[in-house]
């Protein structure tokens, strides 16, 4: 498929902004872990500024830019249909403007509100306006993708949506439904409040709207990694996707179950009925099922690949997998970390066990195994892969890629183990523990372990940077005319697919219905608690915040 020069360049721009953001973000990550362990103590002001920069740049800017760029390439190569050039540019400009505005507030220390920006922590208006623009820019990319998809549909009646496009549609459906929550929060609560147009804010309402967005956000990050694990890694490993229907069902389940689960971040919040917290807990476990489907389907695909490469017996196929290929190394390291990330997620989701780990160091342990490994490592591997596929650049050093991937895996396992043990001991997250008088020597030792893991992670990222820039400025292997990603064939192809599995309106409609069912009583509670004294949970309303 011929991808026009402008699109290659703009996708490269998305990737470069993503890598630049995460480079700054990761530097502050190293500072956090060194300060918490008292190896290199920093001031509280720098700690919270750095923590916010780390969270916003890594979790929001890096991911959004990378994903939008990657999804453009997936859309054009899987549909063989052109995107609208003007909308591609417009989306990029709006996203970039938003990022610059937010970066101004962050870097001038006027937005140390952490990436969850819970009120009553208040940031400079440019932070909220910038974040909103970043989202609006991504909505323009969604609009462009929808227009392109509908055009493809019209030209190809009766043809089922190609596998990678199923992933693209699911990712954007989840993102769009999720961002409605945070857009309402920003436009009606945070921006007017930060501009001084209103004096008071309702923190519970803001938190509830944030988590409407905050959990599906994690699947917006995860699904592009899953697209890679399902549709590209099996081919890179020399095999096939084991079942295309299993992949399709998993993506559809994400559309349906990703959003109506946000209360699992608010189990400890007052003012919301326990019954609905329980219902959200149930749906959180439902949204783990497509990940379990993914675990089995991807493992089966890899087993097929290993056997094709001559592996025998129960485990002989493992050895035959292409462990020495940089893209495979990044992806498999992400998958291995995600096994532990997933298990810790189930612990978090369990209403009663959450009481033990909530707001402790356990949580960063969990999300560095998920976002910080499964997603991050897959995206690092992909950025090298895309330089190769879009520009014909030879990857600077395959060995460095392999080393970078496995060293991160080792580092993150050490880091997360340390953080999780600390969490079990009740040590808080988001706290500059350098100067805490209550830390025992055993706990300090665990913090040093986490710092060792964090330092290994930092070094492995430096290895990646050398490789990335070495590839970017390195020599071309070939002149690329057509961009061909390594899409795997299916071992079990979904022949005679029932039309229901290709009807996106139905699944998105069910998702909307579930959001209404799972959130209406919650918002009723939140308003009742804060705006109506009688029958409410709080003695006065709304909570006055200066
Ligand atoms: Fe989470 C908190 C529950 C998945 C990210 N999560 C967070 C936060 C982040 C985050 C950033 O219920 C912190 C937010 C904050 O700042 O407060 N999470 C879950 C559950 C899942 C889950 C149930 N989380 C993710 C993913 C993330 C992410 C994915 C990012 C990408 N999480 C929670 C809860 C909290 C939470 C609570 C709030 C805690 C609190 O109290 O604050 C599940 O979706 C996970 C399901 C995953 C699996 C694993 C499947 C394994 C696979 C790998 C297969 C490996 C293969 C390799 C094939 C069931 C797919 C084979 C190897 C060979 C050699 C062959």
């Amino acid at each position: 498929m011929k991808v026009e020069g402008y699109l290659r360049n703009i996708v490269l721009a998305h990737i470069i902004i993503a890598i630049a953001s995460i480079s700054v973000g990761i530097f502050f990550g190293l500072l956090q872990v060194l300060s918490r362990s008292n190896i290199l103590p920093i001031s509280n002001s720098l700690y919270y500024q750095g923590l916010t920069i780390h969270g916003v740049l890594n979790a929001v800017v890096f991911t959004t830019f990378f994903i939008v760029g990657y999804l453009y390439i997936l859309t054009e190569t899987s549909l063989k249909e052109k995107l609208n050039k003007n909308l591609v540019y417009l989306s990029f400009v709006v996203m970039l403007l938003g990022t610059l505005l937010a970066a101004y507030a962050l870097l001038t220390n006027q937005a140390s509100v952490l990436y969850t920006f819970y009120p009553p922590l208040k940031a400079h208006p440019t932070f909220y306006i910038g974040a909103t623009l970043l989202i609006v820019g991504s909505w323009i990319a969604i609009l462009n993708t929808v227009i392109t998809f509908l055009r493809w549909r019209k030209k190809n009646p009766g043809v089922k949506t190609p596998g990678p496009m199923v992933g693209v549609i699911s990712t954007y459906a989840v993102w769009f439904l999720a961002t409605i929550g945070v857009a309402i929060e920003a436009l009606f609560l945070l921006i007017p409040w930060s501009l001084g147009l209103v004096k008071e804010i309702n923190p519970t309402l803001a938190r509830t709207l944030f988590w409407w967005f905050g959990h599906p956000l994690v699947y917006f990050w995860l699904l592009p990694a899953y697209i890679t694990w399902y549709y590209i890694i099996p081919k890179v490993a020399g095999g096939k996707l084991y079942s295309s229907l299993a992949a399709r069902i998993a993506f559809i389940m994400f559309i349906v179950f990703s959003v109506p689960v946000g209360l699992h971040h608010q189990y400890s919040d007052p003012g919301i009925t326990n019954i609905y917290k329980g219902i959200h807990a149930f749906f959180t476990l439902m949204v783990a099922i497509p990940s379990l489907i993914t675990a089995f389907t991807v493992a089966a695909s890899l087993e097929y690949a290993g056997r094709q490469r001559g592996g025998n017996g129960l485990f002989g196929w493992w050895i035959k997998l292409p462990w020495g290929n940089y893209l495979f190394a990044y992806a498999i390291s992400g998958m291995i970390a995600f096994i532990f990330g997933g298990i810790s997620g189930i612990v978090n989701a369990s209403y009663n066990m959450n009481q033990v780990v909530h707001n402790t160091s356990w949580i960063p342990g969990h999300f560095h195994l998920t976002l910080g490994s499964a997603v991050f490592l897959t995206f690092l591997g992909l950025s090298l892969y895309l330089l190769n596929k879009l520009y014909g650049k030879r990857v600077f050093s395959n060995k460095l890629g392999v080393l970078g991937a496995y060293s991160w895996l080792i580092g993150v396992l050490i880091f997360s183990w340390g953080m999780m043990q600390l969490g079990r001991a009740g040590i808080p997250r988001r706290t500059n523990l350098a100067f805490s008088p209550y830390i025992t020597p055993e706990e300090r030792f665990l913090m040093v372990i986490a710092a060792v893991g964090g330092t290994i992670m930092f070094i492995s990222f430096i290895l990646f940077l050398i490789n990335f820039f070495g590839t970017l400025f390195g020599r071309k292997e070939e002149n690329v005319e057509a961009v061909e990603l390594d899409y795997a064939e299916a071992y079990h192809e979904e022949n005679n697919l029932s039309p229901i599995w290709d009807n996106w309106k139905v699944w998105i409609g069910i998702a909307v219905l579930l959001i209404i069912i799972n959130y209406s009583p919650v918002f009723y509670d939140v308003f009742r608690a804060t705006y109506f004294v009688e029958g409410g949970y709080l003695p006065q309303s709304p909570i006055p915040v200066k």
Side-chain angles (χ1 to χ4, degrees), residues 21 31 63 82 108 113 195 200 219 233 242 284 311 318 352 355 368 411 462 482:
S21 316
L31 277 193
T63 50
K82 297 267 170 246
T108 54
V113 290
L195 287 170
E200 290 164 344
Y219 299 116
I233 295 302
Y242 186 69
T284 307
W318 286 46
N352 47 356
Q355 305 301 311
H368 282 84
I462 300 293

Side-chain angles (χ1 to χ4, degrees), residues 115 218-219 264-265 342 345 348-349 354 358 363 366-367 370 429:
Y115 96 98
V218 314
Y219 299 116
H264 68 230
H265 291 265
N348 300 346
N354 183 274
H358 183 60
I363 305 299
H366 160 68
F367 67 70
T370 50
R429 66 185 285 204

Side-chain angles (χ1 to χ4, degrees), residues 1-12 14-15 66-81 83 88 145 164-165 168 172 227 232 382 385-387 389-391 483-485 487:
M1 160 79 189
K2 188 166 178 355
V3 172
E4 288 175 61
Y6 94 88
L7 192 68
R8 292 165 199 236
N9 293 341
I10 202 113
V11 169
L12 179 63
H14 280 80
I15 295 175
F66 187 87
I67 292 169
V68 169
Y70 182 39
L71 265 45
Y72 281 145
I73 292 298
L74 290 173
T75 304
E76 283 216 350
T77 54
S78 65
L79 294 182
K80 308 208 180 320
E81 194 68 43
L83 288 152
V88 169
T145 309
M165 198 59 203
V168 172
Y172 275 149
I227 298 176
I232 295 181
L382 277 174
Y385 178 75
L386 288 175
L387 283 182
K389 291 289 170 187
L390 296 181
Y391 291 97
V483 174
E484 299 292 348
L485 301 190
Y487 290 136

Side-chain angles (χ1 to χ4, degrees), residues 215 219 226 253-254 257 261 282-295 338 342 345-346 349:
H215 193 76
Y219 299 116
Y226 275 9
M253 287 185 78
F254 277 112
F257 294 118
V261 299
F282 169 77
F283 279 95
T284 307
L285 297 175
M286 287 301 291
V287 79
I289 292 174
S291 283
L292 290 167
I293 295 177
T294 304
F338 195 52
I346 307 284

Side-chain angles (χ1 to χ4, degrees), residues 342-390:
I343 294 170
S344 53
I346 307 284
V347 171
N348 300 346
S350 311
Y351 199 162
N352 47 356
M353 281 197 275
N354 183 274
Q355 305 301 311
V356 179
V357 297
H358 183 60
N359 272 339
T360 71
S361 303
W362 170 280
I363 305 299
H366 160 68
F367 67 70
H368 282 84
L369 293 166
T370 50
L371 169 62
S373 295
V375 173
F376 168 74
L377 289 178
T378 305
F379 289 3
L380 291 197
L382 277 174
S383 36
L384 297 171
Y385 178 75
L386 288 175
L387 283 182
N388 174 257
K389 291 289 170 187
L390 296 181

Side-chain angles (χ1 to χ4, degrees), residues 48 63 81 119 122 158 193 223 251 284 357 370 386 457 463 480 482:
Y48 285 106
T63 50
E81 194 68 43
K122 195 195 246 177
W193 176 57
L223 296 195
F251 281 115
T284 307
V357 297
T370 50
L386 288 175
M457 289 155 77
L463 298 182
V480 178

Side-chain angles (χ1 to χ4, degrees), residues 87-107:
L87 286 180
V88 169
Y89 279 124
L90 182 65
S91 156
F92 179 72
V93 170
V94 176
M95 280 170 58
L96 185 60
L97 183 68
T99 303
L100 293 175
L101 281 176
Y104 160 77
L106 287 170
L107 297 174

